[in-house]
Amino acid sequence: MSEQGHVITLDGPGGAGKGTLASALADRLGWSLLDSGALYRLVALTALRNRWDPNTTADRTSAEQKAAALDIRFLPDRGQGRRVLLGTEDVTDAIRSQNVSDAASKWAVQPAIRQALLARQREFARPPGLIADGRDMGTVIFPEAELKLYITASAEERARRRFEQLSALGVTANLDRIYREIVERDARDASREAAPLKPAVDAHIIDTTGDNVATSSQKICDLVAAKGWLAE
Ligand code: DC
C-alpha cells in the first residue's frame, strides 16, 4: 500500500452499472469513493447557474478555477449510494438532470477542465483505500492503481436498463431513441482527444450484460479477495 492507501479503479461507458458496483464495493470494504462523473456534473451545474459557455475563453477560465477548488463531498446514504454535497448544498438530484448531463459532456471534452480536475481527483486517495469510478481513472488519474476494472455491457442492455429506470420514474421514453443516443455517445467518448474512453492495458474487463448486480459484484469481490483486501 502506498501512503495514499490502495486504489481500485472502475472505468467504462455510462449505463454499464459502474456507479452501483463502485458504491457497493466502497461500502463492503469501508473505503472512500470518488464518483468522478459527479465532479464534471458539478462543473456543469455551476456553469449553467452562471451562464458560462464552454466556447468562451473567459468563461472557460472561470470554470477551470472553480473546478480546481471544488468543495465536494460524498456522504453514504443508508446503503443507497451517496449524497453529493457542494459546500453545504445537497446537489444529488440537481446534478442528475438532463440539462446537467448534456452540459457535463460538453465541459468534459475541454482539456483545461480535465487538467484542473486532475489534482482534485487525486486528493480523494487516502488510507485504507479508494474506489475511483469514471472514464479515465485507470488510464490517466490513477495509472498506478493496484486493481483496475473496466465495466461494460452491450449497448442494447444499457439502453434497456435506462429505459426501465425512466419508466420506473414515470417518464415516457423511447427505447430506440435511447439506444441510438448511447451508440452515438460511445463513439464520441471513444474518439475524443482528451482522455478517450478505453480500458487500461492492465484492466480486468467485466461484462455485465445479462448479469444482475449480485453476480457482477461477486466477480469483482473475487478479484479483490485475490489481492487479500477483503479480510483487511
Ligand atoms: O458518469 P457520469 O454520467 O456521471 O459522467 C458525467 C459526464 O462526465 C459524462 O459526460 C462523462 C464525463 N466523465 C468524464 O469525461 N471523465 C470521467 N472520469 C467521468 C465522467
Side-chain angles (χ1 to χ4, degrees):
M1 183 184 2
S2 73
E3 64 188 48
Q4 273 96 26
H6 301 299
V7 177
I8 301 177
T9 58
L10 280 81
D11 290 306
K18 255 178 321 138
T20 308
L21 294 168
S23 80
L25 185 60
D27 289 343
R28 170 105 191 246
L29 290 166
W31 293 8
S32 323
L33 177 75
L34 164 62
D35 169 2
S36 60
L39 271 62
Y40 288 95
R41 288 172 181 273
L42 277 177
V43 170
L45 178 69
T46 309
L48 286 170
R49 286 177 172 175
N50 290 287
R51 299 181 191 280
W52 291 336
D53 175 351
N55 300 312
T56 304
T57 311
D59 289 354
R60 268 204 314 270
T61 305
S62 306
E64 260 171 71
Q65 283 164 357
K66 185 76 195 173
L70 266 187
D71 180 9
I72 177 178
R73 277 179 305 147
F74 300 104
L75 298 185
D77 189 17
R78 290 161 281 122
Q80 302 293 308
R82 296 289 185 281
R83 304 299 301 175
V84 184
L85 294 186
L86 176 62
T88 53
E89 184 189 358
D90 187 325
V91 290
T92 316
D93 298 327
I95 60 170
R96 299 285 150 205
S97 74
Q98 192 58 48
N99 266 351
V100 171
S101 299
D102 292 344
S105 71
K106 295 190 184 122
W107 286 99
V109 296
Q110 300 289 336
I113 295 295
R114 304 199 73 85
Q115 185 60 34
L117 285 176
L118 191 117
R120 185 70 196 85
Q121 293 177 83
R122 289 186 179 151
E123 283 166 15
F124 280 84
R126 64 185 67 110
L130 174 72
I131 310 297
D133 161 2
R135 305 288 196 283
D136 59 348
M137 298 295 101
T139 48
V140 177
I141 309 295
F142 299 108
E144 310 294 332
E146 298 151 274
L147 180 59
K148 298 182 185 178
L149 307 172
Y150 188 83
I151 314 289
T152 186
S154 70
E156 288 84 357
E157 171 109 357
R158 287 184 284 136
R160 195 178 48 71
R161 287 180 192 162
R162 180 76 186 139
F163 177 77
E164 282 169 7
Q165 258 172 7
L166 290 171
S167 305
L169 293 172
V171 178
T172 318
N174 177 313
L175 184 58
D176 283 340
R177 188 163 152 218
I178 295 176
Y179 172 75
R180 279 199 308 275
E181 283 169 359
I182 284 182
V183 171
E184 280 166 25
R185 205 176 53 194
D186 283 356
R188 250 199 331 266
D189 286 349
S191 64
R192 74 175 177 211
E193 250 169 64
L197 176 63
K198 59 169 190 230
V201 283
D202 47 351
H204 297 264
I205 312 279
I206 310 246
D207 189 335
T208 67
T209 309
D211 283 351
N212 60 22
V213 175
T215 309
S216 306
S217 275
Q218 191 53 52
K219 288 183 184 167
I220 294 177
C221 280
D222 290 346
L223 292 166
V224 175
K227 293 273 180 197
W229 296 335
L230 271 182
E232 269 180 23

